[in-house]
Amino acid sequence: MEKTIREYQKLFENPDNVGYDGNEKFIIGGAYWNDVAPKENLLNIIASVYDSPGESSGLNKLPALDLTDGPMFYQTAGEKKEALLNMPSRDLSDKQKNYWRSKSSKVETPLQYGYHKGWEIIINSFELLMFALLAVCITIAPVFSGEYQARTDAVILSGKYGKTKLATAKITASVLFGTLAFTLHVLVALGLTLGAFGTEGWNLPLQIAGAAIPYPFTFLQAVVIGLGAVYLVLLAMIGLTLLLSAKMKSPYLVLTVLLPVLFLPLFLSPNGTGGAYNLTLFLLPYRAVMPEFDKYISYQAGGLVLDALTMRVILYTVLTAVLLPLAKLSFRRHQAV
């Protein structure tokens, strides 16, 4: 760490290496391409630790950084985490702050750095999976309502197993199809990204993508955990789609309800990580597929504190357990006309 910073500072000793735009000095020419560009990502990660919360000064602070007592990197990172916890917009209670301190304390230091581009792109692109989720929902929207629209519901429901085994079979087939189709999308997305950028860095700590990240995960662990949460959102949305399909007479009506549920949060922006509005927004489907590893989002009930990932797992597991049986019950109670 210290060696990297000193090498960067030494480049400024040669005036031929330095450019100036009237506001800041920076390395130019061969010195940049040979000595800065190959490790610019690392330098940016180091430099970000010395920025105050909300500040982004790039590499500007590194040339003047006092290394008399060493870079104080981990101490400064700890102080920045404390500053983030105490920001008014987060509105964290003492129990919530202690929760995040405890989680951050499990991050092992010193941090190991290495190439990790492929995994970082995957984590930053999770919300794109919403389009695969939408495709699944569109496909299964006619499962029940298609029968109503084609007026075959009377024949089906009057059959021996129309209100029992057939309803169960339709729901089971929908869940299996939706899961397998979505998995195919995931495999293609992961395969293309890792094929283009390589699999290196899977075992590196998530903190090299942002030193203030409190979760003690490697990149592979972060991707697996993030995908697990996405699959729970998928199952809950399959349940909601089937429930709407069982209650509405047309697949198009199902989609008119489903689309706002899935994508309305796309047009809503959080103004912090605390408060009922923000905490609700982070649980809605579009936001729920975004890992938000760098945010200190927590929910408290009495003395119990849960982070956003855990809260999403609980919420969408419960929704799945409730919506699928309701879909079956709604179809069984449907009156054919």
Side-chain angles (χ1 to χ4, degrees):
M1 192 78 65
E2 182 175 353
K3 179 182 177 183
T4 301
I5 297 173
R6 289 190 182 278
E7 288 175 349
Y8 182 70
Q9 289 179 338
K10 192 172 183 179
L11 294 174
F12 285 86
E13 295 176 3
N14 185 348
D16 294 336
N17 296 337
V18 182
Y20 183 65
D21 63 2
N23 295 310
E24 59 187 52
K25 293 182 179 181
F26 45 87
I27 301 301
I28 60 174
Y32 170 80
W33 293 110
N34 295 327
D35 300 304
V36 177
K39 52 186 177 183
E40 189 166 11
N41 190 50
L42 173 59
L43 287 168
N44 278 312
I45 292 170
I46 295 172
S48 67
V49 170
Y50 301 96
D51 285 334
S52 301
E55 181 184 14
S56 181
S57 61
L59 304 181
N60 293 337
K61 291 186 178 180
L62 291 185
L65 190 64
D66 186 1
L67 299 178
T68 304
D69 298 319
M72 307 290 284
F73 179 83
Y74 295 105
Q75 179 180 332
T76 305
E79 292 171 354
K80 184 171 183 178
K81 288 178 183 179
E82 278 297 310
L84 288 169
L85 291 176
N86 290 305
M87 289 179 67
S89 62
R90 297 188 186 278
D91 193 26
L92 298 177
S93 67
D94 290 337
K95 286 187 177 295
Q96 289 172 318
K97 291 176 185 177
N98 288 333
Y99 173 87
W100 289 114
R101 291 183 186 117
S102 175
K103 191 172 286 290
S104 293
S105 68
K106 297 174 184 177
V107 176
E108 296 183 0
T109 56
L111 299 176
Q112 180 184 357
Y113 181 80
Y115 178 80
H116 58 278
K117 189 67 174 177
W119 298 100
E120 187 174 17
I121 290 174
I122 290 172
I123 291 172
N124 291 334
S125 304
F126 265 48
E127 65 267 31
L128 295 178
L129 291 174
M130 281 297 292
F131 294 99
L133 194 155
L134 174 62
V136 169
C137 292
I138 290 174
T139 305
I140 65 175
V143 166
F144 295 120
S145 59
E147 305 289 1
Y148 309 157
Q149 191 176 44
R151 299 186 182 279
T152 56
D153 51 332
V155 177
I156 290 175
L157 290 170
S158 62
K160 181 178 180 180
Y161 300 114
K163 293 186 177 183
T164 54
K165 291 184 179 180
L166 179 60
T168 301
K170 279 178 169 287
I171 291 173
T172 302
S174 298
V175 171
L176 287 175
F177 166 79
T179 303
L180 290 174
F182 189 77
T183 299
L184 179 61
H185 281 86
V186 170
L187 291 176
V188 170
L190 293 180
L192 289 175
T193 304
L194 296 178
F197 295 95
T199 60
E200 294 92 337
W202 63 269
N203 59 339
L204 295 175
L206 200 55
Q207 283 66 36
I208 64 174
I213 293 174
Y215 293 92
F217 301 151
T218 63
F219 281 98
L220 178 59
Q221 289 172 333
V223 169
V224 171
I225 291 170
L227 282 176
V230 174
Y231 270 95
L232 290 175
V233 175
L234 168 70
L235 291 174
M237 292 304 100
I238 288 175
L240 177 59
T241 304
L242 292 174
L243 176 59
L244 293 172
S245 182
K247 285 186 169 293
M248 295 182 170
K249 296 182 179 180
S250 166
Y252 302 107
L253 293 175
V254 174
L255 295 177
T256 59
V257 175
L258 200 60
L259 282 172
V261 171
L262 292 177
F263 289 100
L264 181 61
L266 175 63
F267 305 100
L268 302 175
S269 299
N271 54 26
T273 56
Y277 166 75
N278 292 313
L279 293 178
T280 301
L281 185 59
F282 287 124
L283 292 178
L284 295 179
Y286 183 81
R287 283 280 174 181
V289 303
M290 301 167 67
E292 313 273 19
F293 288 124
D294 59 338
K295 294 182 173 67
Y296 294 73
I297 307 167
S298 50
Y299 299 77
Q300 184 173 352
L304 178 65
V305 177
L306 301 174
D307 59 64
L309 284 171
T310 305
M311 192 67 181
R312 290 165 180 172
V313 168
I314 294 172
L315 173 63
Y316 284 97
T317 299
V318 171
L319 285 175
T320 302
V322 171
L323 292 171
L324 290 177
L326 280 178
K328 179 178 179 180
L329 182 62
S330 296
F331 182 66
R332 290 178 61 183
R333 290 182 174 178
H334 173 71
Q335 297 297 321
V337 292

